[in-house]
């Protein structure tokens, strides 16, 4: 009997190579775990059982031939906004109900090449808009650690699937924290790569200047395996860059990044102080001490523009959403609701097909882009995004990593954040990573009662290696 | 922001919403705009931006795929079609 709850990708790969079990066996274990647990959790919108077993048999053939690939035979899940050719993909929205993807996302092609077994598509807030999965048109996902609470979002299904031991790894998308926040809420590792590291071709777009695909896993090592399997420049996404594209920033502190010794972690206390639950604040101080005991120097830093990140986010994101979602017109694909005439078709289709939060953001985006308000909101937000990015890059002249809590509170209850602004504030510490485009990882840091907490480690653009190494050291010291 | 303004924006965004929803949205937008409005007063200490890493990428106008190989799959996604066309209501 394979216990997916305790098994890691790294261990499973070893066991598959040694022949302790087959990919079919581990895939069946995954399908059984879903059957057993997902009635209550609702992490999956659809399970690709036949396709997964076919992929598992293919993987077993390759393993027998001695082929070695990073994810060969490993069952993983994908958020419902990542396209798998021939399968339904709906971004958790009624407007795309029964839409069948006509091509593979680049990450899916890379997963095929890496030998992964794709188990199914996971639940998410509609078009990735939310922090709890409560905005899914197909009902919310429950947090496996406390089913009266949300798993976070928007990639809550992917997080819950990994945390509940239904799959060994999963992918989500992160526009303002949609990987890292649910990872913290469910006690696992979640990582957003540098903007430009992973192709978004085949990702249903939300806010294109911020969207990035990344992994969920139980361990930092697994997250790194999943990240490396899908990273790389892609001609189909012009924002992806060559691995060497990121310019070195100043290394004033004279450390050795190669040896990961003598590194400095910056802590922007003025950014988060006074915004944390008491237990989150205590847990964070313990995390700081742990890094200190690992030999990291801790330095208080000031990032005066960082506090504007969430405001910038709630201008740029809806603006891009209003533009990106213009394609859903009831003509080319997805839902069509018939109206009196051509334009009434649009009103009826989009009014009925988009859920409340999506309607709210499209209309808000229309406002901030409208003539008369454009300069005050959108123009100023773009300038502020540049100022934040410059400030964060400059901070990395003196420090190697930046540490904050991942979230101000642990997982909240269903319905607790019914006011939109209070829900938006759940992403306050993760949003700066998207605004500045820096790589960022949430790692489990302990518990508040039975609810998991996470800390968020951020590195300079292109420095995923530094990020993973520090995160792994922290994890091993736990 | 009032209900009429929200209804006008919804019309521009081609989304049909009820008067009740417009009323609720107008209050929610007040709160959201009040929060994001803080950046209007923020003093920007703009340093010199580094040269951006991203640049325009143009695909070579070469090696086209065989004509028509994706047509059926794409048209199949449409709610309504007629032969090789998407079907919509008349505009004029």
């Amino acid at each position: 009997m394979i216990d997916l709850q305790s098994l890691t990708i790294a261990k499973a790969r070893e066991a598959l190579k040694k022949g302790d079990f087959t990919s079919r066996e581990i895939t069946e274990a995954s399908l059984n775990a879903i059957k057993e647990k997902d009635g209550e959790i609702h992490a999956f919108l659809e399970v690709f059982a036949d396709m997964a077993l076919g992929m598992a048999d293919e993987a077993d053939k390759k393993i027998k031939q001695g082929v070695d690939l990073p994810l060969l035979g490993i069952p993983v899940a994908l958020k419902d906004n990542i396209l798998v050719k021939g399968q339904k993909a709906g971004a958790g929205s009624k407007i795309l109900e029964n839409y069948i993807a006509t091509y593979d996302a680049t990450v899916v092609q890379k997963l095929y090449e890496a030998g992964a077994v794709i188990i199914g598509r996971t639940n998410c807030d509609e078009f990735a808009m939310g922090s709890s999965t409560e905005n899914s048109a197909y009902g919310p996902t429950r947090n496996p650690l406390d089913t009266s609470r949300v798993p976070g979002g928007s990639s809550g299904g992917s997080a819950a699937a990994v945390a509940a031991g239904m799959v060994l790894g999963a992918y989500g998308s992160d526009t303002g924290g949609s990987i890292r926040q649910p990872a913290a809420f469910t006690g696992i590792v979640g990582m957003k790569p540098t903007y430009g590291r992973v192709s978004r071709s085949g990702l249903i777009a939300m806010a294109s200047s911020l969207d990035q695909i990344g992994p969920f896993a139980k361990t930092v090592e697994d997250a790194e395996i999943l990240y490396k399997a899908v990273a790389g420049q892609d001609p189909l996404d012009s924002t992806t860059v060559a691995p060497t594209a990121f310019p070195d920033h100043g290394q004033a502190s004279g450390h050795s990044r190669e040896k990961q010794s003598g590194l400095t972690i910056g802590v922007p206390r003025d950014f988060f102080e006074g915004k944390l639950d008491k237990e989150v604040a205590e847990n964070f101080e313990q995390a700081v001490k742990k890094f200190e005991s690992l030999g990291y120097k801790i330095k208080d830093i000031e990032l005066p523009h960082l506090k504007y990140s969430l405001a910038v986010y709630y201008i740029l994101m809806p603006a891009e959403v209003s533009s990106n979602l213009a394609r859903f017109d009831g003509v080319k694909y997805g839902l069509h609701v018939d109206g009196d005439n051509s334009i009434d078709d649009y009103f009826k289709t989009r009014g009925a097909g988009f859920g409340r939060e999506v309607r709210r953001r499209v209309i808000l985006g229309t406002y901030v882009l409208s003539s008369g308000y454009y300069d005050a909101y959108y123009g100023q937000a773009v300038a502020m995004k540049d100022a934040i990015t410059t400030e964060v890059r400059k901070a990395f002249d003196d420090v190697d990593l930046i540490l904050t809590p991942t979230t101000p509170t642990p997982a909240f209850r269903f319905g607790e954040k019914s006011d939109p602004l209070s829900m938006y504030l759940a992403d306050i510490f993760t949003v700066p990573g998207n605004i500045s485009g820096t790589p960022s990882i949430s790692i489990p840091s302990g518990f508040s009662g039975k609810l998991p907490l996470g800390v968020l480690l951020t590195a300079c653009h292109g420095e995923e290696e530094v990020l993973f190494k520090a995160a792994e050291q922290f994890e091993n010291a736990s | 922001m009032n209900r009429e303004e929200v209804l006008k924006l919804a019309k521009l965004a081609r989304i049909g919403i009820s008067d009740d929803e417009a009323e609720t949205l107008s209050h929610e937008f007040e709160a959201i705009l009040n929060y994001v409005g803080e950046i209007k007063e923020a003093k920007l200490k703009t340093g010199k931006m580094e040269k951006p890493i991203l640049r325009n990428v143009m695909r070579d106008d070469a090696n086209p795929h065989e004509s028509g190989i994706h047509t059926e799959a794409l048209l199949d996604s449409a709610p309504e079609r007629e032969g090789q066309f998407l079907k919509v209501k008349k505009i004029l």
Side-chain angles (χ1 to χ4, degrees), chain A residues 74-135:
Chain A
I74 303 295
V76 299
L78 297 176
K79 188 176 181 177
D80 190 33
N81 58 1
I82 299 174
L83 305 191
V84 179
K85 188 176 177 176
Q87 297 287 357
K88 283 183 194 170
S93 178
K94 287 283 176 200
I95 210 162
L96 277 174
E97 195 166 23
N98 298 322
Y99 170 71
I100 293 177
T102 54
Y103 64 102
D104 282 321
T106 297
V107 296
V108 170
Q109 277 174 9
K110 282 177 175 280
L111 288 175
Y112 289 149
E113 287 161 21
V117 173
I118 297 174
I119 288 286
R121 57 189 176 103
T122 56
N123 197 16
C124 58
D125 286 299
E126 184 178 1
F127 285 104
M129 296 179 199
S131 309
S132 67
T133 73
E134 290 169 289
N135 294 335

Side-chain angles (χ1 to χ4, degrees), chain A residues 338 345 359-360 380 393, chain B residues 21 28 39 49-50 89:
Chain A
D338 223 30
D345 282 3
R359 297 199 295 271
R360 184 184 291 130
Q380 181 80 353
R393 279 194 71 82
Chain B
E21 183 172 351
E28 290 167 350
I39 77 157
M49 268 303 279
E50 293 174 47
K89 292 193 176 71

Side-chain angles (χ1 to χ4, degrees), chain B residues 54-73:
Chain B
L54 297 177
R55 66 271 173 263
N56 281 327
V57 177
M58 306 289 267
R59 179 178 60 80
D60 285 343
D61 191 9
N63 308 319
H65 61 72
E66 195 187 319
S67 177
I69 56 170
H70 300 303
T71 308
E72 212 37 48

